[in-house]
Amino acid sequence: MPTHTRIRMFNTKETYPNQSLNNDLCQAVRAGNTVYVRGQVGTDFEGNLIGLGDPQAQAEQAMKNVKQLLEEAGSDLSHIVKTTTYIIDPRYREPVYQEVGKWLKGVFPISTGLVVSALGQPQWLMEIDVIAVIPDDSQGEK
């Protein structure tokens, strides 16, 4: 029996033809009752950038992706335990965090935010990765 499930596997050669990469990756991994979601940006699963130049619109698309990936893994947004958000300009903090906050209202995850000099593609203004759990009904929540 496998110890984990890979969700939405892809190869970077097809995903990023403008770069000389050839890596096998996936969008999320379910390991036991934990779900690790790869950093999500303002690109949909067909590769279309949503929100060119608009950090809030990119954050909205990233959270749509997170929601879908968690559901595919058997979890949901309410079970996120940690977020890490990357922005390329400190001025993007408010629009990005306001958007993420709409999606995570009442969830209370731990959160780390970083300002970085660049992300994987020049048009990406923000990226968010999350860790979530798949609840065990016998544990209950506090």
Side-chain angles (χ1 to χ4, degrees):
M1 184 171 155
T3 58
H4 56 279
T5 303
R6 299 177 196 281
I7 298 164
R8 291 187 177 259
M9 294 180 287
F10 67 97
N11 182 283
T12 54
K13 190 176 189 178
E14 294 94 32
T15 307
Y16 308 115
N18 62 326
Q19 298 178 346
S20 298
L21 300 173
N22 187 9
N23 300 319
D24 293 327
L25 302 174
C26 62
Q27 294 288 349
V29 172
R30 176 179 172 169
N33 74 333
T34 305
V35 181
Y36 302 90
V37 177
R38 177 178 188 264
Q40 296 298 305
V41 295
T43 303
D44 65 21
F45 292 127
E46 287 73 45
N48 304 304
L49 177 68
I50 309 300
L52 180 64
D54 183 344
Q56 180 275 329
Q58 290 189 21
E60 180 181 27
Q61 182 60 48
M63 291 306 296
K64 285 180 184 177
N65 295 351
V66 166
K67 179 180 187 296
Q68 184 171 340
L69 290 165
L70 289 176
E71 289 171 356
E72 290 178 18
S75 188
D76 61 49
L77 293 172
S78 71
H79 298 293
I80 291 176
V81 296
K82 183 177 189 333
T83 68
T84 305
T85 305
Y86 306 86
I87 55 176
I88 63 164
D89 187 317
R91 294 172 292 185
Y92 297 161
R93 186 173 187 271
E94 281 192 31
V96 168
Y97 279 56
Q98 286 173 354
E99 184 62 37
V100 171
K102 290 177 196 174
W103 291 80
L104 300 181
K105 191 72 175 161
V107 177
F108 301 98
I110 58 174
S111 175
T112 299
L114 301 164
V115 179
V116 297
S117 62
L119 294 167
Q121 296 286 327
Q123 66 273 24
W124 295 345
L125 306 178
M126 60 76 56
E127 183 170 334
I128 185 167
D129 66 66
V130 305
I131 300 171
V133 296
I134 298 167
D136 175 357
D137 293 336
S138 66
Q139 291 177 333
E141 288 192 37
K142 304 272 183 209

